[in-house]
Amino acid sequence: MRLGILCSRIRLEEKLIFQALEGRGVEFERLDEQHLALQLKANGLTQAYDLVWCRAISHTRALYALSIFEGWGLRTVNSPQVVRVCGDKVLTTLALSQHNVPTLRTAVALSVEAALEAIEEMGYPVVLKPATGSWGRLLSKVNDRDTAEAVLGHKATLGGPLHSVFYIQEYVDKPGRDIRTLVVGDEVVYAMYRRSAHWITNTARGGEPLPCPLTPEIEELSLAAAQAVGGGILAVDLMETAAGRLLVNEVNHTPEFHGAMQAVDVDIAGRMADYVLGLVGWSGGPWSGGQE
């Protein structure tokens, strides 16, 4: 018995996860999404793995693959339900709001005209985001009506699922940084700042990772956000307002952590691996599989 690791490509994070599993004597197999053709009826993979750990980059591919695995009776991390919510900013914000997790004021509009009305009501500046997407791509800070009309017009002309729904958030004047935490199960493994002179602070867009104290407030908000979307292995992004209030912005279901390794002294891959193995009854030492 062994783990299946669903991957798109082998990045530094996946290499470290593989090393962590090998160091624990755990058998695993990479499931390359480029070579998967999955029958909807359960097949031999049901008996081949105790659990499938998703490290796939594509939200759509991950969601369908995990849904099929779950339909076969396989346990997955994260679950397809969590991937579905976290991969869609509308669903993430809705989940946070329904669980009373403090988040940014957000509106969703289904037409250019409705979007303009929502923006005017919210007040400039606002941020327009695609409902799906990562790494800080396709974000627009809208400072006035002329810009709003131009950006909305471009999105309407481009069309497609990325641009047909208008996700509008209030702009938070951050202190040159945001906060990212990693939640693994019921534990916050680390917190770090992502500092940038640009209003977009993602490390993928040049944000500098720096140590951040893990305060009780940061820990409580991170755990609440993770629980709101269904739990598992999750990165939580928080923003500090000018008044010092913390708001949860987004939750990521397949966290990268190469940037965090520059800021925190934690065996991140090892902590993830221990959590995943604990779900199938591993308690240390060489692992031979088997369910609890």
Side-chain angles (χ1 to χ4, degrees):
M1 302 295 289
R2 55 186 173 177
L3 298 182
I5 314 292
L6 180 65
C7 295
S8 304
R9 61 176 184 262
I10 306 302
R11 303 165 292 180
L12 174 61
E13 287 86 350
E14 284 70 47
K15 291 178 181 178
L16 293 172
I17 287 169
F18 293 169
Q19 290 174 11
L21 294 173
E22 289 167 352
R24 287 157 174 76
V26 176
E27 291 186 14
F28 64 91
E29 181 178 358
R30 178 192 174 190
L31 301 175
D32 186 345
E33 65 175 29
Q34 297 292 333
H35 298 97
L36 285 183
L38 304 173
Q39 300 295 327
L40 298 191
K41 184 177 180 181
N43 62 21
L45 286 180
T46 308
Q47 288 76 42
Y49 307 112
D50 280 321
L51 180 146
V52 174
W53 184 354
C54 179
R55 292 293 307 173
I57 296 172
S58 166
H59 165 246
T60 303
R61 291 177 180 174
L63 177 59
Y64 286 132
L66 295 176
S67 297
I68 292 170
F69 292 147
E70 186 181 76
W72 292 351
L74 282 170
R75 190 166 192 171
T76 68
V77 174
N78 288 313
S79 72
Q81 292 78 18
V82 169
V83 171
R84 174 177 171 269
V85 171
C86 292
D88 186 313
K89 293 179 179 63
V90 176
L91 299 182
T92 301
T93 305
L94 188 60
L96 295 172
S97 299
Q98 289 174 336
H99 287 82
N100 298 314
V101 178
T103 187
L104 286 69
R105 283 190 302 149
T106 305
V108 176
L110 305 182
S111 71
V112 170
E113 294 75 20
L116 277 171
E117 289 181 11
I119 291 170
E120 295 279 332
E121 182 179 349
M122 191 174 291
Y124 298 100
V126 299
V127 175
L128 284 173
K129 299 180 179 181
T132 60
S134 56
W135 298 317
R137 295 174 300 189
L138 298 177
L139 274 60
S140 301
K141 181 185 174 187
V142 177
N143 294 318
D144 51 47
R145 186 177 178 94
D146 286 344
T147 306
E149 290 176 346
V151 173
L152 293 171
H154 291 163
K155 290 173 70 68
T157 300
L158 288 168
L162 277 179
H163 303 293
S164 59
V165 172
F166 304 100
Y167 178 91
I168 307 155
Q169 275 192 330
E170 66 172 312
Y171 173 75
V172 175
D173 189 12
K174 302 176 290 187
R177 68 191 185 193
D178 70 357
I179 299 169
R180 166 160 285 201
T181 64
L182 178 70
V183 177
V184 177
D186 59 1
E187 180 183 12
V188 182
V189 172
Y190 66 74
M192 71 170 184
Y193 291 120
R194 300 186 297 186
R195 185 176 66 185
S196 177
H198 196 277
W199 66 274
I200 299 176
T201 50
N202 301 59
T203 53
R205 295 284 296 271
E208 179 186 9
L210 295 169
C212 173
L214 182 55
T215 65
E217 183 182 10
I218 291 174
E219 184 174 24
E220 181 181 350
L221 271 181
S222 300
L223 291 173
Q227 291 166 5
V229 300
I233 299 176
L234 300 158
V236 180
D237 294 341
L238 302 100
M239 291 183 176
E240 305 161 275
T241 70
R245 189 180 179 214
L246 283 178
L247 303 173
V248 175
N249 182 25
E250 296 180 5
V251 185
N252 186 286
H253 60 82
T254 309
E256 296 176 333
F257 53 86
H258 61 273
M261 292 169 58
Q262 304 172 41
V264 303
D265 185 19
V266 178
D267 179 10
I268 301 170
R271 297 285 276 275
M272 289 180 168
D274 287 343
Y275 167 74
V276 170
L277 296 175
L279 295 176
V280 288
W282 184 83
S283 58
W287 187 66
S288 60
Q291 301 284 353
E292 284 187 298

